[in-house]
Amino acid sequence: RIVVFSDLSPECDDECALLYMLSDLNKDSVEATIELIATDSKVRYKWMAFLFKAKFAEGGGWHLKASGDSIVIGRITVNLYVLHSDVREPMVIEDFKKKANFIFEEDGKTKVKDAAEIQCLDINDVPAGPADLILMAAPVPELDPDFFLRFEDVRGVYVVGTPGGVNCQQPSWSKLLFALHQLAPLVYLSPQFTRMVRFPKDYVEENPHWTWYMKRTVFDGALTCMARRPEIPAKFGDWGLVLRLNAANARLCETWYKDVMGKEIEDVENCPASIKTIVKAYVERNSGLDRKAGGVADELRLLGESSAGAKLDEKGQPITDEDMELLREAYQAQLFKCVFCCLLTTETLLFQNQANLKPLEGELQFLTLQPRCGYSDPHASLSTIFGVNEAIDILKNLSLRSLTPAYDMVGAICGLRFLKTGELEFLGLDVQIADSKLGTALFGEWKDPSEHEILVVGEQTNEVIDSVTEWLRADIETDPLLLIDEFWAKFKYNHHDKGMRRHPSSDKNSWIFHSKLGGHSSGNTRTTMKVSGSGAALVNEGSSLQRIISHPSSNKQVAWAILSMLFIVYDCVVVPLQAFKVEEPFELLYATALFWALDLIRGFFTGFYKHGIIEMRPQKVWMHYVKSWFLLDFSVVLVDWIILLFLSAEDNIVALLRARRVIRLFRLMQVSKVDRIMGTIRDVLNTSAIDYGCKIAKMLFTIFGVTHAIACGWYFIASAVNDRDVNAGTWVRGEGLEGASTGILYATALHWAFAHLLLGEMDVQAVHLWERTYSVVILMVGLIVFSSFVSSITEYMSRIAQMQAENSKQDQEVRRFMEDHEISAMLTSQVDRYRRHSRTTKDADNLPRELIPGLQELPETLSVWLSEEVYQKTLTSHGFFANLQSVHPDIIALGTHRMMREQYFRKGMAVFHKGQSAQHVLVFSKGKGQYQRDDFQYTVQKGEWVSEHAIWLGGWKRRGELQATTSIEAHALDIQEFRQFSAEYVKIGYEAVAFAELVANVKVPYSQLHDVGLDLNERWSMAQRIVNLTDDGNSSIGSGATGSS
């Protein structure tokens, strides 16, 4: 939080400092509040509204809040206040009428034109609380020193000027100095320092933040320093002031003369006598005895000159008339030297410049050369020149390295560098303890000075000045916030109050937009998201238990899944075979029991997928397993170990064996885990062959498993009947298979099962009632299975016939079109070949969802769920959308349905051309493309994002050409639909704005960004900075939590 006292004026020095602060803070992604205080009149804010009219306009980047007293600029909030002065306001208005008369209405020139509905609060409304920096860049003689009591935790106070100067007027300054001294160290930035730092000419010309008027004003200021000498009435300007102003301008002119002429101005010979005459006249006008001496003695000392033996009192004033005359002679000599330097520079660089001479037709049609600019009456006044615009144009074309001093800009540079480094001596500044004239001696009767220092930055070396100037130049580097798309800038402005947190001052105008950094932390652990090739995973960093949690798609898990599948197949084969009284070897029984016991333990240490994110936090994994598969796994393990217990028992062995056979049927419950195991294998071995292989394996497993169970059941019924009645008739006895081997009995039962399941013929017939009933049930099941099988084949053949008929119809229509329009045989052949090729490749591609009528008839809920499953993997490969998915799964499911579509490109087609507006972001799900931009080439492959920058950055157009080198299937994110969705769901919008600012803050020149080659790991890192994932999955964005980026 920075408190700035400013006198926004037509000279634009304060406005330059304000723009520098905004640019510098935004560039470093610093969120801040600036309390801007105009020091006398609301007219200054009207001037600001007029000066920055383009910035307040739509798309200009400056968003005036509804109250009119606060401006949002990037990450910065500027609150507006005024220290109204009835005495000073009329003078301010008169000054504006002289220098910027165009801002007033025509009727009486009293009402300022409104460029924006800008308002301001009274200075007493500035909220109390912490303030990092106070910058005094304007005089505040009417300010009550008690005003500063509201601030606390102030790190530094910077004052542009020194006591007795324009910004530190006495006697009021002594009281203000005492009040500021209680808050923090105070640093005077003396004129000897600030006037040495000058605006580089190219900085002014190329500055993207300045308005045309500001640039013209700086050039006009240079013209003033060079050509316009101050003609101050005697009652307002003493010798000291006149010498100070001309000496400062002379130092500038020395530099300008050397820049253009290549030599020192002292080396000039044969100076025109007319210039000396003009200078003498000026010196006489401004050195009369009707003027007071003022601080001329101090000014002479600063110029390295003595007072010529004049005796001075304690206040630096001559004691006798003789001393006054001696001091006057010394003053005249130095004033002549300074003014002569300025006039010689003006005459050489401006008035004698070839561009200043324009030919005019005179008498007898002779051409005469007349000056475009110059003095009207130099012997009477040097304060005005004619042809100001022509003079500025000439000035712009001079080879100057720098222009006028950046007084208030230096204050902004020093204050911000101090906040960032914490050092007063940054950049090598020579900082001294203030002497009695500047320090605590000014307090007078006030007691109890604080321990804070009062420091002064005086004249510095050229190396230091160059360093400060380089910091000034950094302001015109590309401001990344300017690249954010206008949509996000408007969103942040429109929802500013809803997504802000209060500054500690609790003032209604002190809001700071916040985005939480990092993950949720508790104790020594910290929830964070890690991304790898297999997806994003939530982990607890710092937890000793985290390392024992296994990734669900790791190679170890795949191996375990395959082993689990083998054990399930073993159980599905062996358990039904108990009907044939086939005893399982004890070793295999023990191995099975041991394996499923280990699988039970493994379940507590294996992560799981949730909304596309892998959950690997130990507590979450345990709770998920207990609520899902634990009961089933525990039951199976319990059954296995009960069986082992039965086998170890010796009493009543027959009854126990029967009970064991019944209990072992519980092991078949493991079949319910087949889908999950198959899913694990498909997730890792993610190819079409594996996917189809898993589907075929599952189908075969189901057919043979069911048939195997039916066959075992068929024999079990016969066996059970014979156990109850030895003489009862059964299919076994009827076929004469009593005493046959187990293999013959199983093969016969399996044959019967296949025949009845598929409604075939079989010579084995049911004999007993139980067998007849079982046969009827199987025939009913077989009827359903057989009917489904036949209908599937019939439907498939019908579709083929329908497609062939449609293709034939289209062929006839195309052929008729070609004949009707007498298309050449060659072109007709090319069209025909393309259509045949397109039809062949299309048959091998996925069918777009939009072309499937049955999916268009789904209710909205099912359509949303379908879209979520289709596009979830693609969308969550990007860190930003993965975080949103984990925090707002329901909202993102709807957003996915609205903004995601499928697009297809044939081999050789152009996906997009250079210069096209990016309406969609493409993510390849199949195929490859070749990207070309000048000499840069790149192969786009599966999973890569194309033109993702278009979501966040303004004015994005395709940078190159992209052509399909194979048939391409891509998931397309509709950019406008996503932005509209973000506007409707403000929680999403908050995070999108914060992410857009991070994207725009990447230190890569805008022109060097490509449509392709996006670093997804970098995007995951950015996303981690935006969303704070807490244990309950809520985001801190927009929740009112504190924090800053």
Side-chain angles (χ1 to χ4, degrees):
R1 186 185 182 205
I2 303 174
V3 181
V4 180
F5 289 86
S6 173
D7 56 351
L8 303 165
S9 66
E11 284 76 20
C12 296
D13 51 342
D14 292 76
E15 292 85 336
C16 295
L18 176 62
L19 290 181
Y20 178 88
M21 296 175 71
L22 295 173
S23 175
D24 188 76
L25 292 170
N26 273 322
K27 189 182 306 177
D28 291 342
S29 301
V30 177
E31 297 180 358
T33 299
I34 296 178
E35 315 288 11
L36 183 63
I37 303 173
T39 54
D40 39 40
S41 173
K42 294 180 181 179
V43 172
R44 298 194 183 278
Y45 286 128
K46 299 296 184 181
W47 159 249
M48 184 176 78
F50 190 89
L51 182 64
F52 297 129
K53 182 177 181 179
K55 296 181 181 294
F56 281 110
E58 184 174 352
W62 285 30
H63 306 291
L64 187 65
K65 294 175 66 174
S67 59
D69 53 26
S70 187
I71 310 170
V72 180
I73 307 166
R75 298 176 182 269
I76 315 301
T77 300
V78 182
N79 299 320
L80 309 178
Y81 305 91
V82 64
L83 171 61
H84 182 74
S85 171
D86 293 331
V87 175
R88 293 163 57 95
E89 185 173 57
M91 294 185 289
V92 171
I93 294 176
E94 287 302 316
D95 184 59
F96 272 100
K97 287 182 178 180
K98 292 179 180 178
K99 300 176 181 178
N101 190 43
F102 49 82
I103 72 169
F104 291 91
E105 298 286 1
E106 295 180 359
D107 52 342
K109 298 182 180 181
T110 57
K111 183 180 179 182
V112 180
K113 297 177 182 177
D114 281 337
E117 296 299 325
I118 197 168
Q119 304 293 329
C120 59
L121 300 175
D122 185 77
I123 189 173
N124 293 314
D125 292 325
V126 175
D132 297 288
L133 176 71
I134 297 178
L135 177 61
M136 306 290 293
V140 283
E142 299 179 27
L143 179 62
D144 185 350
D146 290 342
F147 167 80
F148 295 106
L149 297 177
R150 69 190 65 205
F151 299 119
E152 59 187 28
D153 299 330
V154 180
R155 295 172 57 188
V157 178
Y158 278 73
V159 179
V160 181
T162 52
V166 176
N167 292 344
C168 307
Q169 299 173 0
Q170 295 287 36
S172 62
W173 175 248
S174 295
K175 298 180 180 179
L176 296 175
L177 174 63
F178 180 78
L180 292 168
H181 180 246
Q182 309 301 311
L183 300 177
L186 185 142
V187 182
Y188 288 120
L189 303 175
S190 71
Q192 288 74 27
F193 165 52
T194 55
R195 69 186 174 204
M196 293 177 70
V197 182
R198 301 163 187 172
F199 290 119
K201 181 170 176 282
D202 58 348
Y203 167 83
V204 175
E205 292 174 330
E206 300 172 9
N207 196 311
H209 311 297
W210 287 15
T211 66
W212 68 270
Y213 183 85
M214 294 173 66
K215 295 179 180 182
R216 184 190 185 281
T217 298
V218 172
F219 277 102
D220 186 65
L223 178 65
T224 294
C225 295
M226 184 184 296
R228 300 188 184 103
R229 304 277 54 77
E231 298 281 1
I232 307 174
K235 62 178 180 179
F236 296 117
D238 54 36
W239 293 347
L241 177 59
V242 174
L243 181 57
R244 181 192 311 166
L245 297 176
N246 282 284
N249 293 343
R251 297 188 64 172
L252 294 174
C253 289
E254 289 174 357
T255 302
W256 293 333
Y257 190 93
K258 185 176 181 180
D259 287 344
V260 178
M261 305 304 295
K263 61 181 180 180
E264 302 291 344
I265 198 169
E266 291 86 355
D267 298 336
V268 176
E269 299 178 357
N270 301 322
C271 176
S274 58
I275 294 181
K276 295 181 179 180
T277 302
I278 296 172
V279 173
K280 288 180 180 178
Y282 178 86
V283 170
E284 288 296 330
R285 288 198 303 274
N286 289 276
S287 60
L289 295 177
D290 55 339
R291 294 178 185 269
K292 295 181 180 180
V296 68
D298 291 335
E299 297 300 329
L300 290 171
R301 186 180 70 254
L302 291 174
L303 293 174
E305 300 294 334
S306 66
S307 301
K311 297 179 180 179
L312 308 175
D313 59 17
E314 295 178 354
K315 295 182 180 180
Q317 300 301 308
I319 298 176
T320 64
D321 292 342
E322 184 178 356
D323 295 324
M324 184 71 169
E325 189 60 32
L326 291 174
L327 188 62
R328 179 172 178 257
E329 291 178 359
Y331 161 65
Q332 286 179 325
Q334 286 303 312
L335 182 59
F336 183 93
K337 181 178 179 180
C338 294
V339 175
F340 178 80
C341 177
C342 295
L343 261 65
L344 181 59
T345 301
T346 302
E347 184 71 18
T348 304
L349 303 187
L350 288 183
F351 297 160
Q352 295 302 320
N353 193 302
Q354 186 175 359
N356 190 40
L357 301 177
K358 62 179 179 179
L360 295 177
E361 185 175 338
E363 296 181 0
L364 302 177
Q365 296 183 347
F366 284 102
L367 293 178
T368 61
L369 296 178
Q370 298 292 330
R372 298 174 185 270
C373 60
Y375 292 118
S376 299
D377 187 2
H379 292 277
S381 174
L382 295 177
S383 62
T384 60
I385 63 173
F386 63 85
V388 172
N389 291 330
E390 288 80 359
I392 292 179
D393 290 339
I394 296 172
L395 194 64
K396 288 181 178 180
N397 292 320
L398 294 177
S399 56
L400 307 179
R401 290 183 301 170
S402 59
L403 298 176
T404 55
Y407 291 110
D408 291 342
M409 180 88 80
V410 176
I413 294 173
C414 293
L416 294 182
R417 297 279 79 74
F418 166 70
L419 289 182
K420 295 178 182 181
T421 64
E423 299 178 0
L424 294 172
E425 294 83 5
F426 66 92
L427 300 178
L429 284 178
D430 181 17
V431 183
Q432 303 292 333
I433 301 295
D435 59 21
S436 59
K437 293 182 179 180
L438 306 178
T440 55
L442 293 176
F443 292 166
E445 68 273 14
W446 294 287
K447 307 297 180 183
D448 302 324
S450 73
E451 72 280 3
H452 298 131
E453 295 179 315
I454 300 179
L455 308 170
V456 61
V457 181
E459 190 167 351
Q460 304 292 308
T461 64
N462 291 334
E463 290 76 12
V464 172
I465 297 303
D466 290 341
S467 297
V468 178
T469 304
E470 285 305 309
W471 277 110
L472 183 149
R473 282 183 178 277
D475 177 45
I476 63 173
E477 295 177 358
T478 300
D479 185 347
L481 282 178
L482 296 176
L483 303 180
I484 291 180
D485 190 83
E486 183 179 334
F487 175 87
W488 302 119
K490 289 182 180 179
F491 178 92
K492 181 174 180 178
Y493 166 63
N494 293 333
H495 299 85
H496 192 67
D497 289 348
K498 301 174 184 178
M500 308 297 114
R501 63 176 175 86
R502 286 188 182 274
H503 187 275
S505 64
S506 297
D507 175 67
K508 64 181 181 180
N509 292 306
S510 301
W511 295 88
I512 302 176
F513 192 83
H514 75 278
S515 59
K516 195 71 172 177
L517 292 181
H520 174 72
S521 59
S522 177
N524 294 324
T525 64
R526 171 185 171 86
T527 295
T528 188
M529 184 175 288
K530 291 188 174 180
V531 62
S532 64
S534 56
L538 287 173
V539 298
N540 275 347
E541 288 186 348
S543 173
S544 59
L545 299 174
Q546 185 62 63
R547 60 187 177 204
I548 65 177
I549 303 297
S550 176
H551 196 289
S553 297
S554 64
N555 292 334
K556 294 180 180 179
Q557 292 299 326
V558 174
W560 190 270
I562 295 174
L563 196 58
S564 300
M565 197 67 201
L566 294 176
F567 272 94
I568 290 176
V569 172
Y570 172 78
D571 281 342
C572 289
V573 172
V574 172
V575 171
L577 285 177
Q578 291 180 101
F580 293 90
K581 298 181 175 60
V582 175
E583 292 300 326
E584 186 177 0
F586 179 79
E587 293 78 7
L588 289 176
L589 183 63
Y590 184 81
T592 303
L594 182 60
F595 176 82
W596 292 119
L598 294 175
D599 186 69
L600 173 69
I601 298 173
R602 182 197 63 88
F604 283 103
F605 303 102
T606 304
F608 62 94
Y609 286 91
K610 181 181 180 182
H611 305 306
I613 305 297
I614 304 170
E615 180 60 76
M616 293 184 63
R617 291 176 289 182
Q619 295 85 351
K620 296 288 185 180
V621 171
W622 299 337
M623 291 301 298
H624 177 265
Y625 182 59
V626 169
K627 294 178 180 179
S628 56
W629 291 99
F630 172 74
L631 185 60
L632 172 63
D633 292 347
F634 179 76
S635 301
V636 172
V637 172
L638 181 63
V639 167
D640 284 340
W641 289 101
I642 290 176
I643 292 173
L644 291 175
L645 180 63
F646 282 173
L647 287 177
S648 64
E650 297 181 359
D651 298 334
N652 199 10
I653 189 65
V654 176
L656 289 175
L657 286 174
R658 289 176 179 173
R660 179 171 62 86
R661 291 191 182 113
V662 176
I663 294 174
R664 286 191 66 192
L665 293 175
F666 281 98
R667 286 171 57 181
L668 294 179
M669 291 188 298
Q670 296 282 19
V671 175
S672 61
K673 301 169 70 173
V674 170
D675 279 339
R676 184 179 65 162
I677 295 172
M678 288 289 189
T680 301
I681 297 174
R682 286 197 306 268
D683 286 341
V684 177
L685 307 176
N686 189 15
T687 65
S688 299
I690 294 297
D691 188 42
Y692 286 121
C694 288
K695 291 179 180 179
I696 294 172
K698 181 180 177 182
M699 181 180 66
L700 294 176
F701 175 80
T702 302
I703 293 174
F704 284 103
V706 171
T707 307
H708 172 70
I710 291 174
C712 292
W714 176 242
Y715 178 77
F716 175 76
I717 291 175
S719 177
V721 170
N722 287 329
D723 287 343
R724 292 172 61 88
D725 184 358
V726 178
N727 297 319
T730 63
W731 69 269
V732 176
R733 181 167 293 175
E735 295 297 323
L737 295 176
E738 292 175 311
S741 66
T742 302
I744 294 296
L745 292 172
Y746 175 73
T748 304
L750 187 62
H751 186 183
W752 180 92
F754 269 114
H756 279 66
L757 191 62
L758 299 178
L759 304 180
E761 294 292 335
M762 176 63 182
D763 54 356
V764 176
Q765 301 296 325
V767 176
H768 193 274
L769 175 61
W770 289 4
E771 294 175 346
R772 187 67 63 185
T773 303
Y774 186 74
S775 297
V776 172
V777 173
I778 296 305
L779 284 171
M780 293 176 64
V781 173
L783 179 63
I784 297 174
V785 173
F786 181 77
S787 300
S788 300
F789 180 72
V790 172
S791 63
S792 298
I793 294 179
T794 303
E795 182 181 1
Y796 179 70
M797 297 303 294
S798 298
R799 286 186 177 180
I800 294 177
Q802 183 179 0
M803 291 174 57
Q804 290 177 345
E806 182 66 26
N807 290 337
S808 177
K809 180 181 177 181
Q810 291 179 5
D811 289 341
Q812 292 178 3
E813 291 175 348
V814 171
R815 193 175 300 111
R816 181 179 176 182
F817 176 86
M818 298 295 184
E819 293 175 354
D820 291 345
H821 292 79
E822 298 180 353
I823 305 300
S824 66
M826 181 179 293
L827 181 56
T828 301
S829 176
Q830 291 177 347
V831 172
D832 185 56
R833 284 199 301 270
Y834 175 80
R835 293 186 68 252
R836 285 202 305 269
H837 171 75
S838 175
R839 187 179 301 158
T840 302
T841 56
K842 183 177 180 180
D843 292 339
D845 292 338
N846 292 335
L847 190 61
R849 177 179 171 185
E850 293 77 9
L851 300 181
I852 304 177
L855 295 181
Q856 311 309 313
E857 300 172 359
L858 293 177
E860 183 72 11
T861 303
L862 290 180
S863 295
V864 170
W865 292 348
L866 182 61
S867 296
E868 182 182 17
E869 294 204 12
V870 170
Y871 303 114
Q872 182 185 73
K873 188 173 182 179
T874 295
L875 204 58
T876 55
S877 66
H878 190 291
F880 173 77
F881 295 101
N883 274 342
L884 291 185
Q885 176 74 14
S886 65
V887 180
H888 312 292
D890 296 334
I891 298 178
I892 289 302
L894 179 59
T896 301
H897 176 63
R898 287 177 48 178
M899 63 192 180
M900 297 297 292
R901 294 291 181 269
E902 292 176 290
Q903 289 189 3
Y904 298 85
F905 304 93
R906 304 292 171 208
K907 180 180 179 179
M909 287 183 59
V911 179
F912 57 72
H913 296 286
K914 183 177 181 180
Q916 286 182 339
S917 178
Q919 303 297 327
H920 296 86
V921 175
L922 300 177
V923 186
F924 282 24
S925 58
K926 182 180 178 182
K928 296 181 180 180
Q930 188 66 27
Y931 179 82
Q932 177 87 35
R933 180 186 180 189
D934 299 328
D935 296 332
F936 174 77
Q937 293 185 352
Y938 186 88
T939 300
V940 184
Q941 304 188 38
K942 178 181 178 181
E944 296 201 45
W945 288 60
V946 180
S947 296
E948 181 262 4
H949 293 96
I951 304 175
W952 321 108
L953 305 181
W956 185 271
K957 295 185 181 297
R958 308 289 191 185
R959 300 299 180 85
E961 312 277 342
L962 179 60
Q963 189 172 35
T965 53
T966 66
S967 293
I968 294 175
E969 298 175 10
H971 292 169
L973 187 153
D974 190 307
I975 297 173
Q976 294 303 323
E977 190 64 47
F978 169 65
R979 292 174 178 172
Q980 182 62 33
F981 183 77
S982 300
E984 295 176 13
Y985 294 89
V986 181
K987 290 182 179 180
I988 306 299
Y990 289 151
E991 303 185 23
V993 169
F995 193 85
E997 291 178 343
L998 289 180
V999 172
N1001 198 41
V1002 173
K1003 302 301 183 182
V1004 176
Y1006 186 70
S1007 59
Q1008 295 183 15
L1009 296 175
H1010 297 292
D1011 297 284
V1012 297
L1014 180 69
D1015 187 350
L1016 286 176
N1017 284 322
E1018 180 187 46
R1019 291 299 191 252
W1020 278 92
S1021 177
M1022 291 179 180
Q1024 184 63 35
R1025 296 176 59 191
I1026 298 301
V1027 178
N1028 179 16
L1029 295 171
T1030 61
D1031 284 339
D1032 59 358
N1034 293 326
S1035 168
S1036 66
I1037 299 294
S1039 62
T1042 59
S1044 62
S1045 62

